[in-house]
Amino acid sequence: MQVSLTVNGQRRDLLVQPRMHLADALREVLNLTGTHLGCEQGVCGACTVLVDGVPQRSCITYAVDCADAVVTTIEGFDADPTMTALREAFSAHHALQCGFCTPGMLVTARDVVLRLGEVTEARLREELAGNICRCTGYVGIVDAVAAVAKGRQPEARREVRLAEPRQAAPLVEAMPREAPRLARPGGAAMLEERVALTATPDAAWAALADLRRVAECLPGAQLDSVDGEHVTGRVGVALGPIKASFAGAGTVALEAATRSGKLSGRGRDGASSAEGEVGWQVLPGDAGGSVLSVQLSWRLTGPLAQFGRAALVRDLVRRLAQEFAANLDAMVAGQAPPPARQLGLFALLWSVLRAKVLGR
Amino acid sequence: MKAAAFDYRSAESVAQAVALLAEGDTRVLAGGQSLGPSMNLRLARPQRLVDVKRVASLRAVAADDAVCSLGAGWTHAEIEDGVVPDFSCGLMARIAQGIAYRAVRNRGTLGGSLAHADPAADWVNTVVALAGTLVVEGPGGQRRIAAADFVRGAFTTALQGNEMLVAVELPRLGQKSRWGYHKLCRKTGEFAKAIGIAVLDPGRGLARVLAGAVEAAPVPLPLAAKQLWEAGPAAAIAVLDDEVAARLADLAPAERMLRVVAVRRAIEALAEG
C-alpha cells in the first residue's frame, strides 16, 4: 500500500506492506537507523519516536496506520533546544554506555521534561519505566533528565475539546451477580466441574459412549478418526484475537460399570505443545436426572511451560467444562447440535504474551 | 518478530467498519497496543484489520446529570491529561495514568482495551466496578450491555464477531464522591497482579467495591460495598478476608491475599481521599 508521512520535516511517500511496522519502515525503507528495535512487543521502549508530537512505540504501530502522520525520529532533533540540553546532560551524567536504548530514552525524556517539568525522582522513574536500559542502572539517566527538568514548568495542556452535549440514556445499574460456581481446590493443573443434567444416568451415559457426539459438545474440538481406542483430532483455540489449532492424537477408555470415561491426548501447534486428559463420569442426580462430573487436567511442555499462569488457565477450563456439559445436556435431550464455537483451553500462548507484553 | 501478512482497511464510520467485520476474519484495530504485540508474536493472525482511528463518532462525549458517555476511541493519555472532560472526580484520569507507559497510552484506547478484555487491564475492572454500560453496534444497530455481562471471562466479551464497541456509559460521580484505586504490580507499567477499587457516591447512593486482575471476569464484592455504605471504610475492610475467600475460593491463598491487600488499600485510599 502507498502511505504518505512527514518524517523529520520531509514529506515521504512509501510503498509498504500492511504488515510492516513503522520502525521497519523508518529503518529499512528510509534508512533512518537511529530508531532501534529491541523487543518488537512494545515493552523495551528502544523504538520510541514522536508520532504527531507525542511519543509512541514504532514497533507496534503499522506504517499504513500512520497515514498523514508527522513522525520525528532521533535524527530529527538536531535543532531542538530541549534535546540539545538532554544530549549534553546524558554525556555529563554518563547516562549511556552501549547506546542501544538511548534514542528511545531521549525521546521519552524530552516528553517528560516538556510535559511535566520538574518532578520528584520517584515520578521521574515511573515515567521512564517504559524504557529499558541494561547498562547504566538508570542512576545516570535519572540524574541527567532531572538536571534538564530542574526549574521547568509543565507546558500548557492541550486544548480541551468539548463535544455537543446530548442526553445520555439512563444508566442500567447492574447488581453484582452471584459468584460463579468455583472449582474445588486441587492441584494447579487439575479441575473438576459438576453439572446437573436433566437426562437420566442411562441416557446420558449412552450419549457419552458415542465419541463423535461427545466431541461435538466440546467447544472447538473435532474428531478426525476413531480406531478402537485410538483417536485423532484437533482442538481449535480462539482466545481474544488469538487463534490456533492443536492437532493431536489420543486414547480413550470407557468403563460402563462406573459410567466413566477418560480421553488423554497431546497436541502441537507450532512451537507450543499441550498435553491433557479429560475424564467424565455420570452420577445419579435429583429427580431422575443425573450429574455429570468432568475432570480436566493438563500439562504444558516445552519452553513455554515456565510462563504458566495457572489461574488464567483454570478460568478457561472451567468455562470449557460448563459449556461441554450444557452442550451435552442439549444433545441428550435431542436438541440441535450446538453451534460451532471455540473456547480457549491452551492459554499458555497468552502466558508468553503476558510475561513480556504490555499495552492494553 | 514481525506480524503475518494481513489486509488493512481504514473505516470512516462505524457502519462501514461493521460492514467490513461482517465479511469475516476481520479484527477491529483501534490503538493496536495489545493487538499489535499479539500479531508481532504471531499469536494473532487475522486476515484483515479494519482501522477505526479515523471514525469521528468514536470520540464523542456526552453527559447529563446522572450519566456520562465516552466514545470508545479516546486514548488513555487523553483521559489522563483531562482532554476528555472529567465526570468522575478524577478517578478516570488517575487510572489512566497508571496504564502501561506513556508511549502506549498515547495510542491505546479506552474501547480497544475493553474489547480486548484482559482480566488484568485497568478499564475492564473500572467499568465493572462502576456498573457501567457498554454500547456496541452491529449490522442490526446498537445494543447496550451492562459491564458485568460484557466481560465474560479472560479475553472473552459479549461482542459478536460483527459488532464493535462504540461507547462507554458511566455514572457521573457527584462532588461528594470518594474513591480509591490500588494496583499491585511488580514493575511500573506491568500487568497488575491484583487490582482493588472502591467507590462511594453519597449523592447517587452508589457504593461499589471490586477485586480485579483475578485472571477471570472481575469480582464485585457486594458485602464490602454494603458495609462501606452503612458503616464506613473500617467495617468494609473487616469483611474483606471472608468475602474474598468466598468469592475467589479457587485462588491459592497467596493470590487471594494479593487481592485482599489491593482492595484494602483502595478502601484506605478512599477513606483518606
Side-chain angles (χ1 to χ4, degrees), chain A residues 182-195:
Chain A
L182 295 165
R184 30 193 83 189
M190 165 93 187
L191 180 141
E192 184 191 10
E193 187 73 23
R194 285 181 177 230
V195 187

Side-chain angles (χ1 to χ4, degrees), chain A residues 40 56 65 309 319 358, chain B residues 51 53 101 107 156 215:
Chain A
E40 291 194 299
Q56 301 198 6
D65 189 20
R309 281 168 85 192
R319 284 148 55 204
L358 277 186
Chain B
D51 185 3
K53 232 174 260 83
Y101 310 118
R107 198 167 187 89
T156 309
E215 306 295 38

Side-chain angles (χ1 to χ4, degrees), chain A residues 18-19 24 40 55-57 59-60 65 129 168 170 177 242 309 312 314 319 353-354 357-360, chain B residues 1-3 34 40-41 43 51 53 64 101 106-107 118 122 144 148 154 156 187 189-191 215 250:
Chain A
R19 66 187 281 260
D24 272 348
E40 291 194 299
Q56 301 198 6
R57 303 288 206 228
C59 73
I60 51 174
D65 189 20
R177 292 176 300 178
I242 291 171
R309 281 168 85 192
L312 182 59
R314 203 154 47 225
R319 284 148 55 204
L353 184 69
R354 290 291 300 283
V357 175
L358 277 186
R360 288 140 210 204
Chain B
M1 279 170 62
K2 321 288 182 189
S34 296
N40 281 5
L41 288 165
L43 296 177
D51 185 3
K53 232 174 260 83
D64 60 18
Y101 310 118
N106 276 328
R107 198 167 187 89
D118 188 311
D122 298 79
R144 299 163 73 253
T156 309
K187 168 184 176 291
E190 257 290 1
F191 278 99
E215 306 295 38
D250 61 337

Side-chain angles (χ1 to χ4, degrees), chain B residues 23-195:
Chain B
E23 292 170 14
D25 206 2
T26 302
R27 298 284 310 184
V28 173
L29 172 69
Q33 299 299 285
S34 296
L35 186 57
S38 339
M39 288 174 59
N40 281 5
L41 288 165
R42 302 276 176 112
L43 296 177
R45 300 174 206 185
Q47 286 283 310
R48 184 165 70 177
L49 296 185
V50 51
D51 185 3
V52 295
K53 232 174 260 83
R54 289 159 189 83
V55 177
S57 65
L58 296 180
R59 295 170 64 81
V61 179
D64 60 18
D65 290 344
V67 179
C68 68
S69 168
L70 305 179
W74 291 102
T75 66
H76 313 309
E78 285 166 330
I79 296 170
E80 175 185 8
D81 292 352
V83 175
V84 183
D86 178 41
F87 305 102
S88 68
C89 295
L91 172 66
M92 296 290 281
R94 159 70 179 71
I95 290 172
Q97 192 191 319
I99 297 173
Y101 310 118
R102 181 74 182 183
V104 170
R105 300 199 289 273
N106 276 328
R107 198 167 187 89
T109 66
L110 173 65
S113 174
L114 287 168
H116 186 63
D118 188 311
D122 298 79
W123 296 134
V124 166
N125 291 287
T126 306
V127 297
V128 175
L130 290 174
T133 302
L134 305 191
V135 184
V136 307
E137 187 164 333
Q142 290 191 347
R143 63 188 180 113
R144 299 163 73 253
I145 307 169
D149 296 326
F150 180 82
V151 182
R152 293 273 167 86
F155 308 107
T156 309
T157 69
L159 275 175
Q160 303 293 316
N162 56 3
E163 287 179 326
M164 63 174 282
L165 183 60
V166 295
V168 182
E169 293 172 1
L170 297 171
R172 184 170 184 163
L173 298 183
Q175 286 187 345
K176 289 184 177 163
S177 297
R178 288 180 294 161
W179 51 263
Y181 188 84
H182 194 88
K183 181 156 88 160
L184 289 172
C185 291
R186 278 188 173 165
K187 168 184 176 291
T188 299
E190 257 290 1
F191 278 99
K193 290 279 172 204
I195 288 174

